[in-house]
Amino acid sequence: MVNRLLTGILFMLCVLPESEAQYKYYIPTDYNGIFYGQPTSTRATAMGLTTITQGGVENVVYNPASLGVIQNRTELYYSYAKGNQVRIGSSNRFEGLAYRINDKIVAGFSRMRYVEKNSPWTTIIGWYEDSQEKRTQAMYTLSGSYSPYENLQVGASGNWLIGKSVTDVTTNKVFIISVGSIYDMETDWIRHEQLSNQRIRFALSFVNLLMKNRIEERYQDYLHYRDMPIHLTLGSSYNGTLPFNYSFLKGFTDFFNDMPETVDLSFHVQIRETLRGPKKTVVNGNYESNTSIGLGAEALFMDFFVFRLGYFYETRPDQGPAEGGGYWMTDDKRGMTFGYGFKVPVYELTKQKVPVNADIDFVTFRVLNELGTTTTVPAIFSKNNFLFSFGVKLTWVNKPTADLLSAP
């Protein structure tokens, strides 16, 4: 769906073609920022955008069953991301809260907000076209996960989307339903005496279950039909633990003395397909050329410091003349990803006075490349190559009953 619109970025020239300042940049008004921008999870951003095999409220937009993987009673997550080659001036924010009701049920609420400010793109709705100081897209998600059997999580979410393609004016509203599942199993797949805690995870998600592939974008008396994405995603991951000798760190400070001498490894893969949907009166049929694959790896040392690496590839329409005029200027979206982070044991550092632990993650790396190579791209786009993403997760510690009874 939207991918072809996002990726098929249309440049229409006016006045003097040799002057970059006299280009006019038109952009479709749809939800590509939310669905094809940076993931809500900084961890997933660093690992090839592999979202559905990772747990936590930060991934509930892509797989509602992610809620069921959390172990503690309460989880709070915030992320911010900025950096895009073609969506200049755009940023993503996400806030999410998950609460475990009992051993089988977890509920969550989250908001994702995509913002473009002072972008060179022009909004088009029907015969209306104009530049905008700000455009926004928001998704409010109410989700739940249930465990019918041990190691199996199934989840569903209701997602309310609000688009403002004209500054501070709501031009579209739509409600979609998503479902997903996660299954974990222990394994001894790799036979090695030092390798322990081996686990394999399988994940499936269906975003936009009712297949609402067409939305109506309205402003005053102007109307335009746009695409909505329908995503079917499959994924799997592998986890294992190896010993790690960090005696060279113990001489610097006592902070490392009680940390586990281990490195936890995980590998993730997912494939996403965009489905067509029932309505044929949509702007683009990008389901014909939209498949993505993500690969990710993670190494967590001493349950404290983590490195992440990944690769992402997404097919896009071929460069060349676009239907209805203009020219597709982007190419397949692809490239390496990288990130790092810390697990901060706040509970222990405060001598069990603050019952919270924190995960702090960063991506400070180049953006995934999506600019074409057969046509000269204006410098206003080619110079935007840096991605910054920050995520923090607060997890409330499940205090033992004895601690609760002795608390003042």
Side-chain angles (χ1 to χ4, degrees), residues 55-58 60 63-76 96-109 142-148 152-157:
V57 67
E58 65 268 33
V60 73
N63 185 359
S66 296
L67 283 177
V69 179
I70 71 170
Q71 301 297 319
N72 292 64
R73 176 74 68 179
T74 307
E75 182 177 287
L76 182 66
L97 172 67
Y99 180 77
R100 176 168 289 280
I101 298 173
N102 54 41
D103 291 342
K104 291 184 173 293
I105 301 175
V106 184
F109 176 77
L142 183 63
S143 52
S145 178
Y146 174 70
S147 178
L152 174 64
Q153 308 292 335
V154 294
S157 67

Side-chain angles (χ1 to χ4, degrees), residues 31 34-35 60-61 64 93-95 108-114 136-143 156-164 170-178 207-210 212 215-216 228-229:
Y31 289 102
I34 281 184
F35 288 104
V60 73
V61 170
R93 290 176 174 83
F94 176 85
E95 303 96 22
F109 176 77
S110 62
R111 183 190 76 157
M112 181 182 182
R113 191 165 187 263
Y114 171 87
T136 64
Q137 303 166 18
M139 176 189 286
Y140 298 87
T141 300
L142 183 63
S143 52
S157 67
N159 309 271
W160 183 248
L161 292 94
I162 301 173
K164 295 183 179 181
T170 299
T171 55
N172 177 268
K173 293 181 180 179
V174 64
F175 179 79
I176 63 173
I177 295 174
S178 300
V207 173
N208 194 356
L209 179 66
L210 301 181
K212 293 182 179 180
I215 61 175
E216 293 184 357
M228 271 291 293

Side-chain angles (χ1 to χ4, degrees), residues 42 91 96 191 209 234 279 339 370:
T42 300
S91 62
R191 301 293 180 89
L209 179 66
L234 299 173
K279 298 287 187 181
E370 52 188 310

